[in-house]
Amino acid sequence: MQSHNRTPNSLRLYKEAQKVLPGGTTRFTVATDPAPIYIAAGHGAWLTDVDGNRYLDLGNNYTALIHGHGFQPVVDAVAEAIRHGSCFANPTEHEIRLAGMLCERVPGLDKLRFVNTGTEATMFAVKAARAYTGRTKVAKFEGAYHGGYDYVETSEHSAPGTWGPLSDPARVPYAAGTPDAVLADNVILPFNDIDNTLACLERAKSEIACLLVDVMPSRAGLIGLEPDYVATIQRFCNDNGILILCDEVLNFRQGYHGAAAEFGLRPDLITIGKIIGGGLPIGLVGGSDAVMQVFSGKGRRAVVPQGGTFAANPISLVAGIAAMTAWDPPAVARLNAMGERVRNGLRRVIADAGAPMSVTGGASLFRLHMRASPPRTYREFYPSAEEQAVGKLVHQALLGRGILMPPTSSSCLSTPMTDADLDFVLDAVDATLRSVEYRAAIGSAGVAAAPAQGA
Ligand SMILES: Cc1ncc(COP(=O)(O)O)c(C=O)c1O
């Protein structure tokens, strides 16, 4: 468990925070047991907390920091730009430069608009799809997260008691008070299940504006879409006038050309965020020239008016240009090879320890599951109460060994990481799996463990 003795300053700050922030935090995704770890500084792949503890950062602000913390080209670009003003209503040349870099890299990204977050990006993309098709329904995967916009939240946390049959997954509201009208405009799909997905799409096909796709939805288990599933949804959407909206806010890091290109998907609309801002707030909605015309007013009000006070602010843009310049094909190849190494290493460590644990992910992403075989669907992935308890123990044990993994254990690498950092992760997981606490936890969870080898 996270030791109270190691983090007294975090505990003190958390007490203070609860007086002014509901729940004591600004983000529900921050672990609060017993207190969030308050960060003092980040350098490269490592974080230092307010108590002086150091952690290898496997979260990187939920995958946003492809170059880790304090990446010098970003620091220099931001320092230079901010001397000349932090934001203007009028455009700057930087937006043309970053847009140009990304349009050149990403197939299907003919034109784009910058926004501030991934949430805004998916919201505007849904509006674009509706305006373009004249339809209102949004199809999305059960369990997939796309930000805090009502129409993309439905069923992102479907649970066994309420999720309904696979042939017609329930539209489960995420936030209390979600209007029924929102739910009525969603179609929920079980990804990697071709027959049931086709049945769900078939029932509503003439009303669906877009199919929102994340090729490896992190919250739904970091499970990649299977090739025949991708081909099937592509064909169905093309045949039925449904736009494919590929949400690459998180998964743009899958490859130099982005996620859709890696998975053989040809989207009409694409949203990207996180790494393209070099650690500063950003998002984009882009796509085919034809669809993106909905944002083009040409002197009149566009059919989808889009703007934002801080959209395309020069500081995020110059940081993004610096980060994307360094995210070149050799950097992508190196980090993805490191991802392969850590996933394979974890599988070996798990097998050697005889632990009921498995690994999913791809490129520079990986996730641990507290079950012996890797899940291939959201419902397979959905952790039981026992698995959640074991997951929490592993998270805390790794924290105690100097590794900050997100509470979900969906993890990512950053370019300043070295092979020694990966060995540090593998050694820490190995020690955790052989610990008395872990063996006791899997025993009481009723999960059979194979005898450890070479213990
Ligand atoms: C796939 C996906 N879409 C959208 C979002 C929302 O992005 P933001 O947090 O920048 O609003 C996220 C954030 O994690 C995401 O992973």
Side-chain angles (χ1 to χ4, degrees), residues 19-30:
K19 294 181 193 149
V20 283
L21 302 169
T25 68
T26 290
R27 298 168 74 169
F28 76 97
T29 46
V30 172

Side-chain angles (χ1 to χ4, degrees), residues 24-207:
T25 68
T26 290
R27 298 168 74 169
F28 76 97
T29 46
V30 172
T32 53
D33 185 18
I37 304 287
Y38 282 78
I39 301 300
H43 297 108
W46 290 79
L47 293 169
T48 308
D49 73 10
V50 289
D51 291 286
N53 301 303
R54 292 187 77 231
Y55 308 94
L56 182 69
D57 186 6
L58 290 181
N60 287 291
N61 191 18
Y62 282 97
T63 76
L65 298 162
I66 197 79
H67 300 300
H69 303 275
F71 183 55
Q72 201 57 49
V74 167
V75 173
D76 294 344
V78 167
E80 172 59 22
I82 208 159
R83 268 200 284 270
H84 305 291
S86 61
C87 54
F88 316 103
N90 291 53
T92 64
E93 187 178 334
H94 306 303
E95 70 179 345
I96 310 169
R97 300 293 156 248
L98 184 56
M101 281 173 90
L102 296 170
C103 288
E104 203 176 289
R105 282 180 197 199
V106 181
L109 198 63
D110 298 340
K111 288 207 164 62
L112 64 85
R113 283 282 180 103
F114 287 110
V115 291
N116 297 292
T117 62
T119 293
E120 266 182 273
T122 51
M123 177 184 76
F124 279 117
V126 165
K127 288 183 172 196
R130 286 178 167 156
Y132 187 79
T133 58
R135 304 172 179 180
T136 55
K137 285 195 190 324
V138 177
K140 70 167 297 259
F141 299 149
E142 191 169 58
Y145 177 69
H146 299 282
Y149 178 48
D150 290 9
Y151 290 94
V152 304
E153 282 186 333
T154 305
S155 296
E156 82 180 41
H157 196 68
S158 286
T162 52
W163 61 26
L166 273 173
S167 55
D168 190 9
R171 293 178 282 261
V172 182
Y174 186 57
T178 302
D180 288 346
V182 167
L183 305 179
D185 266 332
N186 278 127
V187 176
I188 306 302
L189 308 173
F191 68 84
N192 282 344
D193 177 338
I194 291 180
D195 292 345
N196 283 314
T197 293
L198 286 176
C200 297
L201 287 172
E202 189 64 41
R203 280 194 294 273
K205 62 184 178 188
S206 60
E207 297 167 90

Side-chain angles (χ1 to χ4, degrees), residues 163-455:
W163 61 26
L166 273 173
S167 55
D168 190 9
R171 293 178 282 261
V172 182
Y174 186 57
T178 302
D180 288 346
V182 167
L183 305 179
D185 266 332
N186 278 127
V187 176
I188 306 302
L189 308 173
F191 68 84
N192 282 344
D193 177 338
I194 291 180
D195 292 345
N196 283 314
T197 293
L198 286 176
C200 297
L201 287 172
E202 189 64 41
R203 280 194 294 273
K205 62 184 178 188
S206 60
E207 297 167 90
I208 301 174
C210 61
L211 169 46
L212 183 49
V213 180
D214 182 344
V215 296
M216 193 179 278
S218 168
R219 290 257 192 106
L222 203 67
I223 300 163
L225 295 189
E226 293 165 0
D228 50 351
Y229 187 80
V230 171
T232 303
I233 56 174
Q234 178 84 54
R235 202 174 319 113
F236 189 93
C237 289
N238 290 356
D239 289 349
N240 291 285
I242 299 169
L243 300 188
I244 293 189
L245 192 182
C246 188
D247 179 355
E248 305 197 9
V249 168
L250 190 153
N251 271 308
F252 181 64
R253 62 159 61 214
Q254 287 280 340
Y256 180 73
H257 302 289
E262 288 294 318
F263 280 71
L265 189 69
R266 294 184 313 281
D268 305 282
L269 280 160
I270 301 173
T271 53
I272 310 180
K274 301 208 190 241
I275 69 169
I276 60 162
L280 277 85
I282 203 161
L284 73 78
V285 48
S288 74
D289 203 359
V291 178
M292 289 300 288
Q293 286 308 316
V294 301
F295 294 118
S296 167
K298 296 207 178 103
R300 290 193 308 256
R301 202 166 74 92
V303 292
V304 180
Q306 177 271 325
T309 304
F310 294 102
N313 76 78
I315 310 305
S316 293
L317 294 171
V318 296
I321 291 168
M324 287 302 96
T325 302
W327 185 236
D328 57 8
V332 178
R334 174 180 168 271
L335 202 64
N336 288 358
M338 287 174 73
E340 193 66 16
R341 181 171 169 241
V342 79
R343 285 188 298 279
N344 288 337
L346 287 167
R347 289 183 185 117
R348 196 189 57 245
V349 162
I350 290 165
D352 288 353
M357 196 184 262
S358 51
V359 181
T360 57
S364 53
L365 300 156
F366 65 94
R367 180 167 184 149
L368 297 175
H369 301 269
M370 307 304 134
R371 43 172 282 146
S373 58
R376 53 172 290 278
T377 67
Y378 173 67
R379 294 193 182 190
E380 266 182 42
F381 142 77
Y382 193 88
S384 64
E386 290 78 16
E387 288 167 8
Q388 286 179 39
V390 176
K392 198 165 162 190
L393 180 134
V394 168
H395 178 259
Q396 298 281 9
L398 292 176
L399 199 60
R401 293 186 160 89
I403 291 177
L404 189 63
M405 205 178 234
T408 57
S409 99
S410 243
S411 304
C412 69
L413 306 182
S414 62
T415 58
M417 285 181 185
T418 61
D419 281 345
D421 292 326
L422 301 191
D423 289 339
F424 183 70
V425 173
L426 298 178
D427 289 349
V429 172
D430 184 53
T432 299
L433 299 187
R434 293 172 190 277
S435 68
V436 175
E437 292 81 2
Y438 175 76
R439 306 310 285 191
I442 57 172
S444 62
V447 197
Q453 291 163 22

